[in-house]
Amino acid sequence: MHQSLQLRTSQHLTLSPQIVQAIRILQLSAADLEHEVEEALANNPLLERTETAPQSDPATASAGAVVEDDTAEPAPTSVSVSEGDEDGDGHDPWTSASAKRDDDERPIGEGYAPSVTLRDHLVAQLAGSRLSDHDRLVVEAVIDDLDDDGYLRQTTEELLSTLPQGHPAGNGDVDVAIRLVQSLDPPGVGARNLAECLALQLERLDGAGGDIEVAKRIVREHLDLLALHDSARLAHNLDVTEEAVRRANILIRKLNPRPGAQFSESQARYVVADVIARKVNGKWIASIHPQALPNIQINHIYADALQRDRTGNGALMRHLQEARWLIRNVQQRFETIQRVAQVIVDRQRRFLELGELAMRPLMLRDVARELGLHPSTISRVTSNKYMETPSGLIELKRFFSSRLTNEEDGSSCSSTAIRALIRELIAAEDARNPLSDVQIARILASRSIKVARRTVAKYRTALRIASVEARRMSVPGVEPLRSSPPRPIAALASERRWSKRKQQAQKLDAPGVLAPSV
């Protein structure tokens, strides 16, 4: 075995830090981009906020260009970057329509209202209990493992593993702690599953008599039949009347399947549109929303000082280069978003005017082919990006829809339009005689839209529309379809054997085969 030196030629792609940052910034949402800019402002002394006036509405600003030349194509919104060390004119395009409010101007107490969590609420109820330190530690471990809905998803062994090492708690101690937590308010907290949660709440109801017992048996043994609204089979399995099942169902509907949700800290997240789509002189124009533009620029004082002294601080030179990269990548981000949004608006202008029924089939590769970009780039651009339209705020991903082609005439229709048509058909149906999936498929076929029944069921489920039987059950006074009780397996097997012998006799044309044997 000997050592030797060899030269080999190979090709490989290397991503520079600037390209990596550009890809990451491209796929960020408006809120995430603002967070990224805030971090850059905190870490880079060469970046600063601008104090210029807000920009005017881009849709109004572009109206003048359209008036001058109606035949001209709308030019993409260009975002220029002003860097003090290069341009020297001090112009700054990075402005925002709304200035941030200073913390010193916040009224006292605004936004700082204390919120009570589920854990705080449960621990406060333990204040009057006579628990030893040993038991209290186990109970608080159970409370800590509750999820936002108030359910206990951990097993007994997993709970024991969360206790301090050497703690003498056993399975019995954990079971007692769980029962103690389940006795606290709100009712149903600490349950391991939905059936136990509903049963715990039923145990605290008074004055319903035998209906509570029927309701308890339903949630513990036949929760699946309750979800199917099969009252006939429930009555048969429980050996009660359907009226008793109906009264028990009324009690169950009053229960809360998520007892801990009222204590969850759900804060409203406001979405800022990245693009504005407006119709100006008969043409749809997509432009960048002013509030989505970060109002940042390079600090001119530091930049000028570094320009005069090229042998200055190396750290500041590195910060200057990073600031330039950030501003250029943000500029490229908005230019790409505007180009993609303009293509989407051109392709889906009928959708913007008429609604979902006019949605055209559009794929990511269609936009990528028109702009000369990769489909992965289009996917990053349209992820978590929103467009402000006269119809409201629409996510860019919603403009893309798969294509369903009619094999007979070659026409195509988007899946979004088919979903909208299914929603309209179900909204206009007779509530006492709703349309089944087969009937909807036949109606669509009569309109030259051929889809299978399972496709209709898939789209209906995606629209969160209940099945035909569930919609029929939701109408007051309408009786469900009677389902006969399950027949014995032996009787079904005998029927199958008799049917098979009958088919064989019909093939052989021999009536004597059907005669019973002696």
Side-chain angles (χ1 to χ4, degrees), residues 354-418:
L354 304 177
E356 290 184 341
L357 288 176
M359 172 72 78
R360 291 181 55 189
L362 183 63
M363 306 294 289
L364 293 175
R365 61 175 177 268
D366 299 333
V367 180
R369 190 182 302 112
E370 182 168 344
L371 295 177
L373 301 175
H374 196 274
S376 62
T377 303
I378 307 300
S379 177
R380 293 187 182 97
V381 170
T382 55
S383 297
N384 300 318
K385 310 296 190 305
Y386 293 85
M387 178 183 295
E388 182 181 324
T389 68
S391 303
L393 205 63
I394 302 176
E395 188 177 6
L396 294 184
K397 284 286 189 183
R398 188 179 172 189
F399 289 95
F400 295 88
S401 178
S402 59
R403 179 182 288 105
L404 297 180
T405 306
N406 192 346
E407 297 179 356
E408 295 182 358
D409 55 3
S411 60
S412 61
C413 183
S414 68
S415 59
T416 303
I418 296 177

Side-chain angles (χ1 to χ4, degrees), residues 13 86 91 107 141 190 235 244 270 295 315 323 457:
L13 179 63
E86 294 181 356
H91 174 69
Y270 298 96
N295 51 340

Side-chain angles (χ1 to χ4, degrees), residues 430-444:
D430 183 7
R432 294 180 175 272
N433 188 22
L435 297 173
S436 64
D437 296 337
V438 176
Q439 292 173 327
I440 294 175
R442 291 173 181 171
I443 295 175
L444 295 177

